[in-house]
Amino acid sequence: MSNDKVTSQDSPLSRFIAVIPAGGVGTRLWPLSRAAAPKFLHDLTGSGSTLLRATYDRLEPLAGNRVLVVTGNAHREAVCRQLPEVQDGDLVLESEPKDSGAAIGLAAAILHQRDPDIIMGSFAADHVISPDDLFQETVREAIHTAAAGKIVTIGIKPTHPSTGFGYIRSGASLHIPGAPNAQAVVEFVEKPDEDVAQQYVDSGDYVWNAGMFVAPVSLMLKHLEANQPELFTGLQEIAEAWDTPRRDEVTARIWPTLPKIAIDYAVAEPAAAAGDVAVVPGSFRWDDVGDFASVGRLNSAKEVDEVTVLGEGARVFTEKASGVVVSDTKRVIALIGIKDVVIVDTPDALLVTTKQHSQRVKQAVDALKASGDTDVL
């Protein structure tokens, strides 16, 4: 398929606008990822591009510069520095985090005010995807499926029985022109245990839920109104003021009062029960970079011995060692006779763990928070 941005006016592709929710601190990547410098602002793959910039560049052949970014107030400058193309009216700033229901719901409401025929696609700023052309082909199918009146989730064909992701059970093929792989969604299922995950993978009927949605904004809002009327009413009021001088005043008044709920519970799951959700399975490689083990796995960064080393000017010496080293300092780090280690060195905090235990970094962050050590978070 061509990557040509020129689409005929009546094509569903011409109605597409991309939304990038850039939230979430990524506590399992502490101390590299912090409240002030969350994971999407880092280059975690050694590609020379931050996760946020890579997400924007991947969407540009589909959306051009029609992109809305939803992020926290605190990240405004960093986001603008990385994405100078994004206009002020297309930067949605949250005064406090409210989960994905409010973030994606507000983007849908703003776009619906501008043009009720828009098809939006929501793609998190902190995922690693390759190759781009396979991703774009899958999104094009999702846009055609959305134009047929569906909320579409992009599922990832599982490469192993992961217990870290939710799954989507797919059903019959939908036979939509321009979307040969689109299927009905039977149900969303929560993160399974090891045995159940293996059954899901063996059956071939399940894909990972990567949290990517493509949908007509009018259909998103219809389900939001039906399932979360209070959230819908608040978002509607902000959206009506968005492109007017009243934006800041109305947002400041209403945003703090909105209920916190994930978009899956607010829209996707009830819409699936109503038969309005489809899935397009993607065969591209996808990772949500959830911990330092995945940083090691994904990296095209330089290997020293069997150690993945990340960081400008990192000084690492190894002998009979393996693992991941992320250095934000000029300190020499020597690893001798140690396997599968994870070391993250920053000026004010040092993490030492193993790949096997890298998911448990979140507990350390929670403990630091509880003991009042918030200066390093």
Side-chain angles (χ1 to χ4, degrees), residues 59-351:
L59 289 165
E60 203 199 9
L62 299 162
N65 61 355
R66 295 180 318 203
V67 176
L68 222 64
V69 179
V70 187
T71 193
N73 230 332
H75 310 311
R76 180 191 188 127
E77 272 179 52
V79 168
C80 290
R81 241 192 340 270
Q82 290 192 13
L83 303 178
E85 303 93 326
V86 176
Q87 303 293 310
D88 184 57
D90 295 334
L91 188 62
V92 180
L93 298 169
E94 306 174 319
S95 54
E96 56 186 282
K98 282 287 180 185
D99 215 329
S100 56
I104 295 168
L106 179 54
I110 291 168
L111 294 174
H112 189 267
Q113 277 301 120
R114 292 176 180 175
D115 178 355
D117 289 333
I118 284 171
I119 293 171
M120 72 179 278
S122 172
F123 304 92
D126 55 5
H127 293 177
V128 173
I129 286 169
S130 66
D132 285 0
D133 57 346
L134 265 186
F135 165 79
Q136 288 151 359
E137 211 166 289
T138 305
V139 176
R140 283 192 194 93
E141 281 201 47
I143 295 167
H144 283 289
T145 309
K150 294 286 185 188
I151 290 172
V152 189
T153 181
I154 292 175
I156 308 295
K157 289 174 185 165
T159 52
H160 60 280
S162 169
T163 56
F165 302 133
Y167 286 71
I168 297 164
R169 183 172 159 216
S170 47
S173 174
L174 292 172
H175 307 294
I176 290 168
N181 298 300
Q183 294 168 282
V185 165
V186 179
E187 61 174 344
F188 289 83
V189 289
E190 297 294 333
K191 297 173 182 178
D193 63 29
E194 197 100 14
D195 293 346
V196 174
Q198 190 62 61
Q199 288 166 21
Y200 288 170
V201 174
D202 293 344
S203 77
D205 293 336
Y206 290 81
V207 287
W208 287 335
N209 180 3
M212 300 182 213
F213 295 98
V214 177
V217 286
S218 52
L219 186 59
M220 286 287 277
L221 294 173
K222 177 186 145 189
H223 282 285
L224 190 64
E225 184 176 20
N227 300 299
Q228 291 288 319
E230 187 194 341
L231 180 56
F232 171 81
T233 304
L235 294 176
Q236 226 19 44
E237 200 173 329
I238 297 174
E240 281 164 17
W242 192 260
D243 291 319
T244 77
R246 293 170 46 245
R247 177 199 304 170
D248 293 348
E249 176 260 313
V250 175
T251 307
R253 180 164 47 81
I254 291 175
W255 186 262
T257 69
L258 297 176
K260 272 188 176 184
I261 185 169
I263 195 75
D264 299 68
Y265 304 134
V267 172
E269 292 183 13
D276 276 351
V277 182
V279 61
V280 175
S283 52
F284 49 87
R285 287 193 299 282
W286 168 84
D287 203 296
D288 71 345
V289 209
D291 58 30
F292 284 110
S294 57
V295 169
R297 206 169 50 240
L298 291 165
N299 254 284
S300 53
K302 58 180 181 295
E303 294 272 340
V304 180
D305 207 4
E306 286 176 57
V307 177
T308 301
V309 178
L310 265 178
E312 276 310 300
R315 302 164 73 192
V316 179
F317 167 83
T318 70
E319 188 180 303
K320 293 195 168 65
S322 65
V324 183
V325 176
V326 184
S327 174
D328 204 11
T329 72
K330 295 283 176 262
R331 206 186 336 256
V332 172
I333 298 170
L335 303 185
I336 300 163
I338 188 165
K339 295 290 174 199
D340 275 346
V341 70
V342 171
I343 292 179
V344 185
D345 188 24
T346 70
D348 61 350
L350 171 69
L351 168 73

